[in-house]
Short mmCIF file of all heavy atoms in Angstrom, two decimals:
data_model
loop_
_atom_site.label_atom_id
_atom_site.label_comp_id
_atom_site.label_asym_id
_atom_site.label_seq_id
_atom_site.Cartn_x
_atom_site.Cartn_y
_atom_site.Cartn_z
N TRP G 10 -78.60 77.14 -19.87
CA TRP G 10 -80.02 77.38 -19.79
C TRP G 10 -80.59 78.30 -20.89
O TRP G 10 -79.89 79.35 -21.00
CB TRP G 10 -80.51 77.92 -18.47
CG TRP G 10 -82.00 77.89 -18.32
CD1 TRP G 10 -82.79 76.94 -17.72
CD2 TRP G 10 -82.88 79.01 -18.65
NE1 TRP G 10 -84.08 77.37 -17.77
CE2 TRP G 10 -84.19 78.64 -18.36
CE3 TRP G 10 -82.69 80.30 -19.18
CZ2 TRP G 10 -85.30 79.51 -18.56
CZ3 TRP G 10 -83.70 81.10 -19.46
CH2 TRP G 10 -85.07 80.67 -19.07
N PRO G 11 -81.55 77.86 -21.67
CA PRO G 11 -82.23 76.59 -21.55
C PRO G 11 -81.33 75.55 -22.20
O PRO G 11 -80.44 75.75 -22.94
CB PRO G 11 -83.50 76.84 -22.31
CG PRO G 11 -83.18 77.91 -23.33
CD PRO G 11 -82.15 78.76 -22.68
N THR G 12 -81.64 74.27 -21.79
CA THR G 12 -81.04 73.09 -22.37
C THR G 12 -82.19 72.04 -22.66
O THR G 12 -83.25 72.31 -22.29
CB THR G 12 -79.94 72.51 -21.46
OG1 THR G 12 -79.23 71.50 -22.10
CG2 THR G 12 -80.50 71.99 -20.14
N ASN G 13 -81.74 70.95 -23.07
CA ASN G 13 -82.72 69.84 -23.32
C ASN G 13 -83.11 69.19 -22.03
O ASN G 13 -82.31 68.70 -21.29
CB ASN G 13 -82.05 68.76 -24.28
CG ASN G 13 -83.04 67.66 -24.56
OD1 ASN G 13 -84.25 67.70 -24.12
ND2 ASN G 13 -82.56 66.61 -25.18
N PRO G 14 -84.43 69.37 -21.54
CA PRO G 14 -84.86 68.83 -20.29
C PRO G 14 -85.11 67.36 -20.36
O PRO G 14 -85.34 66.76 -19.30
CB PRO G 14 -86.13 69.67 -19.99
CG PRO G 14 -86.66 69.93 -21.38
CD PRO G 14 -85.48 70.15 -22.31
N ALA G 15 -85.14 66.78 -21.58
CA ALA G 15 -85.56 65.31 -21.56
C ALA G 15 -84.61 64.34 -20.81
O ALA G 15 -85.19 63.49 -20.02
CB ALA G 15 -85.66 64.88 -23.03
N PRO G 16 -83.32 64.50 -20.93
CA PRO G 16 -82.44 63.48 -20.21
C PRO G 16 -82.76 63.51 -18.70
O PRO G 16 -82.81 62.47 -18.05
CB PRO G 16 -81.02 63.98 -20.53
CG PRO G 16 -81.24 64.59 -21.89
CD PRO G 16 -82.56 65.29 -21.87
N SER G 17 -82.75 64.68 -18.11
CA SER G 17 -83.00 64.73 -16.65
C SER G 17 -84.36 64.33 -16.24
O SER G 17 -84.58 63.69 -15.24
CB SER G 17 -82.73 66.19 -16.24
OG SER G 17 -83.56 67.18 -16.85
N SER G 18 -85.36 64.62 -17.08
CA SER G 18 -86.72 64.15 -16.82
C SER G 18 -86.93 62.66 -16.96
O SER G 18 -87.55 62.09 -16.10
CB SER G 18 -87.69 64.84 -17.80
OG SER G 18 -87.65 66.25 -17.65
N TYR G 19 -86.31 62.11 -17.98
CA TYR G 19 -86.28 60.66 -18.13
C TYR G 19 -85.67 59.90 -16.94
O TYR G 19 -86.11 58.90 -16.45
CB TYR G 19 -85.62 60.15 -19.42
CG TYR G 19 -86.26 60.60 -20.72
CD1 TYR G 19 -87.45 61.32 -20.76
CD2 TYR G 19 -85.68 60.21 -21.91
CE1 TYR G 19 -87.93 61.76 -21.90
CE2 TYR G 19 -86.19 60.74 -23.13
CZ TYR G 19 -87.41 61.37 -23.12
OH TYR G 19 -87.96 61.79 -24.29
N ALA G 20 -84.53 60.51 -16.39
CA ALA G 20 -83.87 59.98 -15.23
C ALA G 20 -84.78 59.94 -14.10
O ALA G 20 -84.81 58.98 -13.29
CB ALA G 20 -82.58 60.63 -14.99
N ILE G 21 -85.52 61.00 -13.90
CA ILE G 21 -86.36 61.06 -12.73
C ILE G 21 -87.52 60.06 -12.76
O ILE G 21 -87.89 59.39 -11.85
CB ILE G 21 -86.98 62.51 -12.52
CG1 ILE G 21 -85.91 63.57 -12.16
CG2 ILE G 21 -88.14 62.56 -11.60
CD1 ILE G 21 -86.33 64.98 -12.28
N ILE G 22 -88.04 59.91 -14.02
CA ILE G 22 -89.10 58.90 -14.22
C ILE G 22 -88.59 57.52 -14.05
O ILE G 22 -89.17 56.67 -13.38
CB ILE G 22 -89.56 59.05 -15.73
CG1 ILE G 22 -90.40 60.34 -15.78
CG2 ILE G 22 -90.48 57.91 -16.08
CD1 ILE G 22 -90.59 60.84 -17.32
N ALA G 23 -87.37 57.12 -14.52
CA ALA G 23 -86.80 55.87 -14.28
C ALA G 23 -86.50 55.61 -12.79
O ALA G 23 -86.62 54.60 -12.31
CB ALA G 23 -85.52 55.74 -15.15
N ALA G 24 -86.00 56.63 -12.14
CA ALA G 24 -85.73 56.50 -10.68
C ALA G 24 -86.90 56.29 -9.85
O ALA G 24 -86.92 55.48 -8.95
CB ALA G 24 -85.01 57.81 -10.23
N GLN G 25 -88.08 56.97 -10.25
CA GLN G 25 -89.26 56.74 -9.50
C GLN G 25 -89.76 55.38 -9.70
O GLN G 25 -90.23 54.66 -8.83
CB GLN G 25 -90.38 57.68 -10.10
CG GLN G 25 -91.62 57.61 -9.35
CD GLN G 25 -92.56 58.87 -9.63
OE1 GLN G 25 -92.87 59.48 -8.73
NE2 GLN G 25 -92.90 59.10 -10.85
N GLU G 26 -89.58 54.81 -10.89
CA GLU G 26 -89.90 53.41 -11.22
C GLU G 26 -89.09 52.43 -10.37
O GLU G 26 -89.56 51.43 -9.81
CB GLU G 26 -89.85 53.06 -12.69
CG GLU G 26 -90.18 51.71 -13.05
CD GLU G 26 -91.69 51.43 -13.02
OE1 GLU G 26 -92.46 52.42 -12.90
OE2 GLU G 26 -92.08 50.29 -13.02
N ALA G 27 -87.81 52.68 -10.21
CA ALA G 27 -86.89 51.87 -9.44
C ALA G 27 -87.00 51.89 -7.99
O ALA G 27 -86.75 50.93 -7.25
CB ALA G 27 -85.42 52.34 -9.84
N GLY G 28 -87.51 53.12 -7.50
CA GLY G 28 -87.70 53.38 -6.05
C GLY G 28 -86.45 53.92 -5.44
O GLY G 28 -85.34 53.46 -5.71
N GLY G 29 -86.71 54.89 -4.60
CA GLY G 29 -85.60 55.56 -3.98
C GLY G 29 -85.99 57.02 -3.60
O GLY G 29 -87.18 57.40 -3.75
N ASN G 30 -84.97 57.84 -3.29
CA ASN G 30 -85.23 59.21 -2.91
C ASN G 30 -85.33 60.08 -4.08
O ASN G 30 -84.30 60.75 -4.55
CB ASN G 30 -84.18 59.65 -2.02
CG ASN G 30 -84.49 61.04 -1.41
OD1 ASN G 30 -85.30 61.76 -1.83
ND2 ASN G 30 -83.86 61.32 -0.15
N VAL G 31 -86.42 60.09 -4.81
CA VAL G 31 -86.65 60.78 -6.07
C VAL G 31 -86.55 62.34 -5.82
O VAL G 31 -86.07 63.10 -6.69
CB VAL G 31 -88.01 60.45 -6.73
CG1 VAL G 31 -88.14 61.15 -8.08
CG2 VAL G 31 -88.10 58.93 -6.90
N GLY G 32 -87.03 62.80 -4.71
CA GLY G 32 -86.99 64.25 -4.41
C GLY G 32 -85.50 64.69 -4.37
O GLY G 32 -85.12 65.84 -4.91
N LYS G 33 -84.66 63.84 -3.77
CA LYS G 33 -83.26 64.24 -3.70
C LYS G 33 -82.66 64.38 -5.13
O LYS G 33 -81.82 65.21 -5.41
CB LYS G 33 -82.48 63.22 -2.82
CG LYS G 33 -81.01 63.55 -2.72
CD LYS G 33 -80.34 62.55 -1.80
CE LYS G 33 -78.82 62.84 -1.61
NZ LYS G 33 -78.15 61.89 -0.72
N LEU G 34 -83.02 63.36 -5.99
CA LEU G 34 -82.57 63.39 -7.36
C LEU G 34 -83.07 64.60 -8.06
O LEU G 34 -82.19 65.35 -8.77
CB LEU G 34 -82.93 62.10 -8.05
CG LEU G 34 -82.66 62.11 -9.51
CD1 LEU G 34 -81.21 62.25 -9.77
CD2 LEU G 34 -83.19 60.91 -10.09
N ALA G 35 -84.36 64.94 -8.02
CA ALA G 35 -84.83 66.05 -8.73
C ALA G 35 -84.18 67.33 -8.32
O ALA G 35 -83.76 68.13 -9.18
CB ALA G 35 -86.36 66.15 -8.51
N HIS G 36 -84.02 67.49 -7.02
CA HIS G 36 -83.32 68.74 -6.56
C HIS G 36 -81.91 68.80 -6.99
O HIS G 36 -81.35 69.83 -7.28
CB HIS G 36 -83.56 68.89 -5.00
CG HIS G 36 -82.96 70.18 -4.46
ND1 HIS G 36 -83.55 71.39 -4.80
CD2 HIS G 36 -81.93 70.50 -3.64
CE1 HIS G 36 -82.89 72.36 -4.27
NE2 HIS G 36 -81.86 71.79 -3.55
N SER G 37 -81.24 67.64 -6.96
CA SER G 37 -79.87 67.62 -7.41
C SER G 37 -79.69 68.04 -8.75
O SER G 37 -78.78 68.80 -9.15
CB SER G 37 -79.30 66.22 -7.22
OG SER G 37 -77.99 66.10 -7.62
N LEU G 38 -80.61 67.57 -9.69
CA LEU G 38 -80.53 67.97 -11.07
C LEU G 38 -80.85 69.42 -11.29
O LEU G 38 -80.17 70.09 -12.11
CB LEU G 38 -81.55 67.20 -11.84
CG LEU G 38 -81.23 65.73 -12.09
CD1 LEU G 38 -82.42 64.83 -12.50
CD2 LEU G 38 -80.07 65.62 -13.15
N MET G 39 -81.82 70.00 -10.51
CA MET G 39 -82.16 71.35 -10.67
C MET G 39 -81.06 72.28 -10.13
O MET G 39 -80.71 73.32 -10.64
CB MET G 39 -83.51 71.68 -10.12
CG MET G 39 -84.62 71.04 -10.99
SD MET G 39 -86.33 71.51 -10.42
CE MET G 39 -86.52 70.18 -9.17
N ARG G 40 -80.35 71.88 -8.99
CA ARG G 40 -79.28 72.56 -8.42
C ARG G 40 -78.21 72.59 -9.43
O ARG G 40 -77.48 73.60 -9.51
CB ARG G 40 -78.90 71.97 -7.07
CG ARG G 40 -77.77 72.74 -6.33
CD ARG G 40 -77.40 72.17 -4.99
NE ARG G 40 -76.92 70.79 -5.07
CZ ARG G 40 -77.57 69.76 -4.64
NH1 ARG G 40 -78.74 69.80 -4.08
NH2 ARG G 40 -77.02 68.48 -4.88
N ALA G 41 -77.88 71.41 -10.09
CA ALA G 41 -76.82 71.40 -11.06
C ALA G 41 -76.97 72.48 -12.17
O ALA G 41 -76.02 73.10 -12.53
CB ALA G 41 -76.78 70.03 -11.71
N CYS G 42 -78.22 72.60 -12.52
CA CYS G 42 -78.60 73.59 -13.62
C CYS G 42 -78.42 75.06 -13.10
O CYS G 42 -77.79 75.76 -13.67
CB CYS G 42 -79.98 73.36 -14.16
SG CYS G 42 -80.52 74.61 -15.27
N TRP G 43 -79.17 75.30 -11.94
CA TRP G 43 -79.33 76.61 -11.56
C TRP G 43 -78.22 77.26 -10.64
O TRP G 43 -78.13 78.45 -10.50
CB TRP G 43 -80.69 76.81 -10.85
CG TRP G 43 -81.83 76.70 -11.87
CD1 TRP G 43 -82.56 75.67 -12.20
CD2 TRP G 43 -82.22 77.76 -12.71
NE1 TRP G 43 -83.43 75.96 -13.17
CE2 TRP G 43 -83.24 77.29 -13.53
CE3 TRP G 43 -81.87 79.15 -12.83
CZ2 TRP G 43 -83.85 78.10 -14.51
CZ3 TRP G 43 -82.44 79.94 -13.84
CH2 TRP G 43 -83.52 79.39 -14.61
N ALA G 44 -77.45 76.41 -10.04
CA ALA G 44 -76.33 76.80 -9.10
C ALA G 44 -75.04 76.36 -9.44
O ALA G 44 -74.04 77.03 -8.99
CB ALA G 44 -76.76 76.49 -7.65
N GLU G 45 -74.91 75.32 -10.20
CA GLU G 45 -73.62 74.71 -10.36
C GLU G 45 -73.02 74.82 -11.81
O GLU G 45 -71.86 74.34 -12.05
CB GLU G 45 -73.65 73.29 -9.95
CG GLU G 45 -73.89 73.10 -8.50
CD GLU G 45 -74.06 71.62 -8.14
OE1 GLU G 45 -74.12 70.73 -8.95
OE2 GLU G 45 -74.30 71.35 -6.86
N GLU G 46 -73.83 75.50 -12.63
CA GLU G 46 -73.38 75.77 -14.01
C GLU G 46 -73.07 74.47 -14.79
O GLU G 46 -72.03 74.35 -15.48
CB GLU G 46 -72.02 76.68 -14.03
CG GLU G 46 -72.27 77.99 -13.42
CD GLU G 46 -73.04 79.00 -14.28
OE1 GLU G 46 -73.71 78.62 -15.32
OE2 GLU G 46 -72.95 80.21 -14.15
N LYS G 47 -73.93 73.46 -14.62
CA LYS G 47 -73.76 72.24 -15.37
C LYS G 47 -74.98 72.05 -16.27
O LYS G 47 -75.97 72.59 -16.07
CB LYS G 47 -73.76 71.12 -14.31
CG LYS G 47 -72.52 71.12 -13.38
CD LYS G 47 -72.62 69.97 -12.36
CE LYS G 47 -71.37 70.02 -11.41
NZ LYS G 47 -71.54 69.00 -10.33
N ASP G 48 -74.71 71.28 -17.36
CA ASP G 48 -75.68 71.07 -18.41
C ASP G 48 -76.40 69.76 -18.13
O ASP G 48 -75.94 68.75 -18.33
CB ASP G 48 -74.95 70.93 -19.83
CG ASP G 48 -75.93 70.76 -20.92
OD1 ASP G 48 -77.14 70.76 -20.70
OD2 ASP G 48 -75.54 70.66 -22.05
N ILE G 49 -77.61 69.90 -17.60
CA ILE G 49 -78.48 68.75 -17.38
C ILE G 49 -79.09 68.03 -18.58
O ILE G 49 -79.82 67.04 -18.42
CB ILE G 49 -79.59 69.05 -16.23
CG1 ILE G 49 -80.53 70.04 -16.79
CG2 ILE G 49 -78.95 69.49 -14.96
CD1 ILE G 49 -81.86 70.34 -15.88
#
């Protein structure tokens, strides 16, 4: 952090278009960044 937010943001946008639990995805991505030491 910071990192490039575009890939994770694009994924959320695509998932919303596809339909499904977008909230779960968004939180998963942010948890990966802020708690799991992963590069989103």
Side-chain angles (χ1 to χ4, degrees):
W10 185 91
T12 188
N13 180 5
S17 57
S18 299
Y19 293 0
I21 290 168
I22 291 165
Q25 183 163 239
E26 183 71 14
N30 193 336
V31 183
K33 182 176 180 181
L34 172 62
H36 186 63
S37 175
L38 286 161
M39 289 185 277
R40 183 177 63 247
C42 174
W43 287 98
E45 298 173 355
E46 300 282 20
K47 295 176 182 175
D48 183 1
I49 59 171

